[in-house]
Amino acid sequence: MPTTRHFSITVLSIVTLSAAGCRGNDTPPPPPATTASPVSAPATERVVGPLTPADAQALATMNDRLRDYVELHQRIEAALPKLPKDATPEQLDQSQRRFEKKMREARATAKQGDLFTPEATPVIKRLLVSVFEGPDGKQLKSSIMDENTVNASSLKLRVNSRYPDSVPLTSVPPQVLQTLPELAEDLEYRFVGHWMVLFDSHAHIVADYIPDAIPN
């Protein structure tokens, strides 16, 4: 039987989101094999791996979903009334909430797993395990949980709902961001308890989430 080939790839080769990018109709091919890995790669290099061809395809499909989301986000944002250069905090808040409302209306049927697809979610979880079970994993996890004391399930987070104003936007260590697929600037990874949230920072909404993304 042939052995399964594993792939370690830079994120830019399969999952970088580009607002101006055009998507073809063909399924993206698996990325080429490299020798890089999240452990051996330089700190400045974004690496996802190791990945099987099925893993790479799952992330490519997720990338398509995220690109569609970003295109919707930018289309709605561009149609909003322009703010003056000297906009007051009240005007900024009103504009943001107007944007939030428009996004929620446009995604009225959105549900968990629409962006973090069922195929991509286990791949993302394995990538996180590779970080949190690595040499610096215990320290990284402590740095996240020290400023992240909420219980995500008790908050009843929902896709397409407003990110709770009472929950701080905790920082995500560079080692984690290096290993996860890169996002467009409109989207951010955030941890709420052990859950990983896909946060739309402009609309201030939960675009999607993965429960129990941080391993115990």
Side-chain angles (χ1 to χ4, degrees), residues 65-73 103 107 187 200:
R65 301 281 188 91
L66 292 172
R67 184 182 291 112
D68 289 342
Y69 180 95
V70 170
E71 289 174 356
L72 173 67
H73 170 113
M103 284 294 295
R107 301 183 70 229
L187 295 172
D200 185 327

Side-chain angles (χ1 to χ4, degrees), residues 172-194:
V172 179
Q175 296 92 326
V176 175
L177 293 176
Q178 177 195 11
T179 307
L180 293 173
E182 189 174 12
L183 298 171
E185 64 178 12
D186 305 317
L187 295 172
E188 300 174 4
Y189 295 114
R190 295 291 178 176
F191 288 109
V192 179
H194 282 71

Side-chain angles (χ1 to χ4, degrees), residues 103-179:
M103 284 294 295
R104 293 179 66 179
E105 289 173 349
R107 301 183 70 229
T109 61
K111 61 185 182 302
Q112 193 271 327
D114 282 349
L115 302 177
F116 287 136
T117 64
E119 296 78 16
T121 292
V123 180
I124 296 293
K125 283 190 170 184
R126 286 199 300 272
L127 294 174
L128 290 173
V129 167
S130 73
V131 176
F132 289 116
E133 292 188 355
D136 301 322
K138 187 175 181 180
Q139 180 180 352
L140 291 174
K141 186 175 178 180
S142 294
S143 70
I144 292 172
M145 301 311 293
D146 282 348
E147 55 178 326
N148 176 23
T149 58
V150 299
N151 186 316
S153 58
S154 67
L155 288 174
K156 298 182 179 179
L157 285 179
R158 300 190 313 277
V159 169
N160 213 28
S161 66
R162 182 174 179 83
Y163 186 96
D165 293 314
S166 59
V167 176
L169 293 171
T170 58
S171 58
V172 179
Q175 296 92 326
V176 175
L177 293 176
Q178 177 195 11
T179 307

Side-chain angles (χ1 to χ4, degrees), residues 23-146:
R23 184 176 61 228
N25 294 325
D26 296 333
T27 300
T34 73
T35 57
S37 73
V39 175
S40 63
T44 56
E45 183 178 348
R46 298 184 58 89
V47 173
V48 172
L51 298 175
T52 65
D55 292 340
Q57 182 57 55
L59 293 184
T61 300
M62 184 184 81
N63 181 59
D64 286 345
R65 301 281 188 91
L66 292 172
R67 184 182 291 112
D68 289 342
Y69 180 95
V70 170
E71 289 174 356
L72 173 67
H73 170 113
Q74 294 180 335
R75 188 165 62 250
I76 291 176
E77 190 169 30
L80 293 174
K82 302 301 180 184
L83 285 168
K85 292 183 179 180
D86 57 347
T88 65
E90 291 78 12
Q91 288 174 313
L92 291 171
D93 182 68
Q94 289 173 1
S95 178
Q96 182 273 306
R97 290 179 183 274
R98 187 181 298 114
F99 186 21
E100 174 195 341
K101 182 175 182 292
K102 294 290 186 182
M103 284 294 295
R104 293 179 66 179
E105 289 173 349
R107 301 183 70 229
T109 61
K111 61 185 182 302
Q112 193 271 327
D114 282 349
L115 302 177
F116 287 136
T117 64
E119 296 78 16
T121 292
V123 180
I124 296 293
K125 283 190 170 184
R126 286 199 300 272
L127 294 174
L128 290 173
V129 167
S130 73
V131 176
F132 289 116
E133 292 188 355
D136 301 322
K138 187 175 181 180
Q139 180 180 352
L140 291 174
K141 186 175 178 180
S142 294
S143 70
I144 292 172
M145 301 311 293
D146 282 348

Side-chain angles (χ1 to χ4, degrees), residues 182-211:
E182 189 174 12
L183 298 171
E185 64 178 12
D186 305 317
L187 295 172
E188 300 174 4
Y189 295 114
R190 295 291 178 176
F191 288 109
V192 179
H194 282 71
W195 293 20
M196 189 172 75
V197 170
L198 185 64
F199 174 55
D200 185 327
S201 57
H202 292 188
H204 204 82
I205 60 177
V206 176
D208 207 345
Y209 62 84
I210 298 177

